[in-house]
Amino acid sequence: MGEEGTPKTEMINPALLDGVSANFIVKGPSGVEKAYPMRSVTVTIGRSDQCDIAVKDGSMSGRHAEITKINGEIRVKDMGSANGIWLNGERVDDVELFDGDVLRLGQTSIRIDVVGGRKRPDAGMSPKVLAAIIIGVVVLVGAVIGVGLTLKKRAQHRRDLASLAAFVTAARESQKSKPCAAAVDKVADVAKTLNTLGKAGCANLPKGEEARRQVAGYRELARTYDRIALSIQQFAAQSSSNAQALTGAAEQIADEKIKSAVAEAQDLVEQRAQVTNTFIADWKKLSQATTTYASALDQAFQGNKTACATVDKGVLAKTAPEVLVSCNKGFDKAKNAVEEKLKELDEVAGGGEAE
């Protein structure tokens, strides 16, 4: 399911839907509204196509929230999303839904139409009482508007500083990853294997069992390089998870000056993540080049003279030690840049700057 369709609401009459507990009127970032009937006990909502209600909303988690019908109650539960879920303007984790409630998940709003029209208990206030409360609030706000604005500004500033501290903590936690170190032992093993294989050349090609041993050895090296790349991808997955946590903290900040400084830090964290991606790509290139070399070597052993040019050139890629050195150099530089920016943010969070 997605939010594809014409830009108008597709309405569903609950009375005509057998077995439906509620309708969910979903309005995504594009402004398109679409109604989804609740025909099962559990309905999942999120960015993932695997969800019952899948919305193209980049600010939502893959599996953002879950709505269930339990003992006659329809409840919504936050599934550990970064931005949380908001019910009628208030953040909630697990709460019962009533007819007329409005959920917000990221940039998506969902209006709840419960079959039978069961309203929220505190939503039945009489017009007279409501009017009296409104008049009282207006008078009170008029009397203390200056103080109220000041308190609101200070409260928001405290929230900004708390969100900034959360951002710095998450960023420092991500600094602990060491993707380059994951290949150190493997590089030593690769060096031993290469020494054992020796350097082949068409001027003095081995034959028989020795030839087969060299071809098999280089093909196994190619597979080793692939395995190294796969193990390092786990670090890339961790970086992606950390990036979501950083984005969640950054989105809570209202102060433009603090938000700008945090955006600079996010860019530096992304540059650090790119070092890991380059590290993975270098191992894959080395694997492909080694596979090509092994094939050329095999052809040369079988008497194919045209393969000699490729054999004599060797493996056309960075060596394993060169790949490791490049990663260490790039990662240390990127990590230091992140740390310098985090020190600046520490001063803002601790000193109360930008109030």
Side-chain angles (χ1 to χ4, degrees):
M1 293 182 178
E3 48 177 325
E4 301 293 333
T6 57
K8 62 182 181 179
T9 304
E10 176 191 336
M11 300 305 297
I12 297 178
N13 185 346
L16 301 179
L17 299 174
D18 183 33
V20 175
S21 304
N23 290 327
F24 307 122
I25 313 303
V26 180
K27 183 177 182 181
S30 66
V32 175
E33 288 188 350
K34 187 170 182 180
Y36 296 87
M38 185 177 186
R39 293 185 178 275
S40 59
V41 175
T42 301
V43 175
T44 55
I45 307 171
R47 191 175 68 241
S48 170
D49 291 336
Q50 304 302 316
C51 292
D52 299 303
I53 301 178
V55 185
K56 296 178 180 178
D57 184 344
S59 60
M60 289 175 60
S61 301
R63 192 167 181 265
H64 200 105
E66 183 181 81
I67 298 178
T68 57
K69 184 176 180 182
I70 304 174
N71 298 327
E73 292 184 356
I74 297 177
R75 304 186 67 86
V76 64
K77 181 179 180 181
D78 187 358
M79 301 306 292
S81 63
N83 296 330
I85 57 176
W86 300 76
L87 174 63
N88 302 331
E90 295 184 3
R91 185 163 182 169
V92 296
D93 292 320
D94 186 344
V95 69
E96 183 178 1
L97 296 176
F98 294 85
D99 184 46
D101 281 346
V102 177
L103 287 171
R104 177 163 288 279
L105 289 68
Q107 300 179 37
T108 298
S109 64
I110 303 175
R111 190 177 77 248
I112 314 301
D113 289 343
V114 178
V115 173
R118 188 183 178 200
K119 300 289 184 181
R120 185 166 289 281
D122 57 356
M125 190 176 296
S126 69
K128 290 183 179 180
V129 173
L130 181 60
I133 291 175
I134 292 175
I135 293 173
V137 169
V138 170
V139 172
L140 179 61
V141 170
V144 298
I145 188 168
V147 175
L149 289 175
T150 300
L151 293 176
K152 182 178 180 180
K153 181 180 178 181
R154 290 179 178 176
Q156 180 60 56
H157 182 66
R158 286 194 294 270
R159 289 194 292 271
D160 285 349
L161 293 182
S163 296
L164 176 59
F167 176 90
V168 172
T169 298
R172 282 233 165 82
E173 184 64 26
S174 70
Q175 289 275 78
K176 297 178 181 179
S177 66
K178 298 179 180 180
C180 307
V184 173
D185 293 339
K186 294 294 184 181
V187 169
D189 293 339
V190 166
K192 293 178 182 178
T193 300
L194 287 172
N195 287 334
T196 300
L197 291 174
K199 183 174 178 60
C202 283
N204 185 23
L205 286 173
K207 297 180 181 180
E209 185 62 31
E210 177 59 20
R212 288 190 290 272
R213 185 186 72 84
Q214 287 198 11
V215 172
Y218 279 104
R219 284 177 174 161
E220 179 57 30
L221 273 178
R223 288 190 288 269
T224 297
Y225 298 144
D226 272 333
R227 288 193 290 268
I228 293 174
L230 183 61
S231 67
I232 298 168
Q233 284 177 334
Q234 296 175 358
F235 288 94
Q238 291 175 2
S239 296
S240 178
S241 177
N242 288 330
Q244 291 182 0
L246 294 178
T247 299
E251 288 177 346
Q252 305 302 317
I253 298 174
D255 186 281
E256 291 300 326
K257 185 175 181 180
I258 298 178
K259 183 177 291 187
S260 177
V262 167
E264 292 176 4
Q266 285 182 291
D267 288 341
L268 292 173
V269 170
E270 176 60 26
Q271 291 175 29
R272 189 194 62 199
Q274 287 303 319
V275 175
T276 302
N277 294 336
T278 300
F279 194 38
I280 295 170
D282 283 345
W283 285 114
K284 290 183 177 179
K285 290 176 183 177
L286 182 54
S287 174
Q288 292 168 358
T290 303
T291 297
T292 299
Y293 178 77
S295 297
L297 195 61
D298 189 26
Q299 292 175 24
F301 289 151
Q302 296 179 39
N304 186 348
K305 298 299 184 181
T306 60
C308 284
T310 301
V311 172
D312 289 339
K313 289 178 182 178
V315 178
L316 298 180
K318 291 179 182 178
T319 65
E322 288 172 343
V323 171
L324 182 59
V325 168
S326 179
C327 179
N328 282 322
K329 183 177 179 180
F331 194 80
D332 287 344
K333 181 179 178 180
K335 183 177 180 180
N336 291 337
V338 172
E339 185 57 36
E340 287 301 315
K341 178 56 67 174
L342 293 181
K343 289 179 180 178
E344 294 179 17
L345 296 181
D346 271 335
E347 294 179 1
V348 176
E353 186 178 319
E355 182 170 0

